[in-house]
Amino acid sequence: MAVRNVVKVMNFHSLLRVDKARKKAAMYFDTEEELFRIIRKIMYNKNIILDKKAITPKSDAPILNVYIGNDLGFCSDFNFSINKEVRLDREHKIIIGRKIHAYDATDNVELVITKEDFFHKFGDVEKIIYDAIINRKYREINVIYNHYHNVNNLEFTKKKLFPVDYDEERDNETFDEDFAMETELTPMLNNLIALFICYELKICEMNSYAAENVIRQQLTNQSLKKIDELEEEKFKEERKWKKQKDFQKIIENYRK
């Protein structure tokens, strides 16, 4: 009974976390969308003269890959594909999650952080991203994680965050506003791009969190079903034993 109660609690919490992750990802997504529109309007506005070379990544710079796993167990092979990718990766890395372990500490690892600390100490990740964009340290930034589409569709995903695809169209945008600039444009744009990437990472992390808890919820469902089967089998055995005992008692009484 105690085991059943623990599994039920885990099952219930997993469902709550999926819903919480979806809502939080949607909240980050709204801000990320607005940042993208602002960046795109600055990039393509015909009234602005912008030296695009100043924000273009260096072709000979290394790549930064951000891996998002999880801290807790009871989620099957959730980290299998991620650990496999990490094991083969020779580029620079940020590791998020205790369950990602297939790396060498000296193998271009910029930061190792738990999933819990990602929530409370995001500044450590943010610092690396801002430094990377402002100083053009990497030619590409990718995030590798398990993406949640719905409860029946979880996908191992590698998503490029930088360079940002400015050509992507969103809604009916116009680029003919007349901007009045009172600051250097390039540093401001670099900061906007870094902020945009940070929001992308938060969205990916929330999707990963939802995917993790979907798997945990599925496993706890299977465990509850198995517990029911074992208890049913135990009940049948006890009932069989009781019938045999009662029958034996009847035979003994008859003989007497």
Side-chain angles (χ1 to χ4, degrees):
M1 185 62 72
V3 174
R4 172 191 285 277
N5 290 338
V6 170
V7 176
K8 274 188 173 180
V9 169
M10 290 176 66
N11 183 274
F12 180 68
H13 282 182
S14 297
L15 286 170
L16 291 179
R17 288 168 185 156
V18 172
D19 188 56
K20 177 184 175 182
R22 289 173 60 191
K23 289 178 179 177
K24 204 163 186 179
M27 179 185 69
Y28 289 138
F29 182 75
D30 290 340
T31 306
E32 178 257 1
E33 280 281 294
E34 190 59 35
L35 283 167
F36 181 86
R37 291 192 185 98
I38 292 170
I39 293 167
R40 198 163 184 263
K41 284 179 183 290
I42 294 171
M43 291 289 296
Y44 290 115
N45 192 276
K46 62 186 180 183
N47 300 311
I48 293 175
I49 298 172
L50 177 66
D51 180 12
K52 290 186 173 60
K53 288 183 179 179
I55 60 170
T56 302
K58 297 175 182 177
S59 59
D60 59 345
I63 293 172
L64 176 66
N65 291 320
V66 182
Y67 291 92
I68 302 177
N70 68 313
D71 287 347
L72 305 176
F74 212 73
C75 54
S76 188
D77 57 353
F78 181 80
N79 297 288
F80 177 80
S81 296
I82 296 172
N83 274 308
K84 183 178 178 181
E85 191 80 11
V86 171
R87 193 176 292 110
L88 300 172
D89 189 2
R90 295 296 174 265
E91 298 290 349
H92 291 245
K93 292 177 277 295
I94 293 176
I95 306 292
I96 301 167
R98 285 193 182 95
K99 296 294 182 178
I100 301 178
H101 50 72
Y103 62 89
D104 189 290
T106 61
D107 189 23
N108 293 325
V109 177
E110 300 294 330
L111 176 68
V112 178
I113 190 170
T114 66
K115 198 77 167 278
E116 183 179 354
D117 282 344
F118 182 88
F119 292 121
H120 306 298
K121 298 180 181 179
F122 186 73
D124 293 345
V125 178
E126 201 172 39
K127 184 178 178 181
I128 294 173
I129 299 300
Y130 272 80
D131 181 48
I133 300 303
I134 292 169
N135 296 306
R136 296 193 297 159
K137 291 181 69 174
Y138 303 104
R139 70 178 185 272
E140 191 175 297
I141 299 175
N142 303 297
V143 58
I144 296 94
Y145 68 109
N146 290 301
H147 185 86
Y148 168 88
H149 293 286
N150 55 58
V151 292
N152 298 312
N153 187 2
L154 310 177
E155 181 184 12
F156 176 69
T157 302
K158 183 174 183 178
K159 181 178 181 181
K160 185 165 76 172
L161 303 183
F162 180 77
V164 179
D165 181 10
Y166 305 111
D167 294 329
E168 182 184 344
E169 292 186 14
R170 304 190 185 187
D171 300 332
N172 298 316
E173 294 175 288
T174 58
F175 304 105
D176 55 356
E177 292 94 339
D178 188 8
F179 284 88
M181 307 302 298
E182 297 182 0
T183 184
E184 272 193 79
L185 190 58
T186 299
M188 183 192 74
L189 190 56
N190 276 329
N191 277 283
L192 282 172
I193 292 170
L195 183 60
F196 171 79
I197 292 170
C198 286
Y199 269 89
E200 284 268 38
L201 278 176
K202 288 183 177 183
I203 292 168
C204 292
E205 195 281 330
M206 279 294 116
N207 271 287
S208 170
Y209 188 62
E212 168 193 344
N213 281 286
V214 164
I215 292 175
R216 189 170 288 117
Q217 194 264 335
Q218 290 171 348
L219 286 173
T220 50
N221 275 344
Q222 292 172 12
S223 297
L224 287 170
K225 185 178 178 181
K226 187 65 177 177
I227 289 170
D228 286 340
E229 290 173 355
L230 290 171
E231 288 186 351
E232 179 65 22
E233 189 65 31
K234 183 180 178 182
F235 176 74
K236 286 179 179 178
E237 287 293 325
E238 288 177 348
R239 187 169 59 183
K240 181 180 177 182
W241 179 82
K242 186 176 183 301
K243 283 183 177 180
Q244 289 175 343
K245 189 176 179 182
D246 289 344
F247 183 72
Q248 185 67 33
K249 189 174 181 180
I250 291 171
I251 296 296
E252 289 176 358
N253 288 337
Y254 177 76
R255 287 176 178 172
K256 289 179 182 179

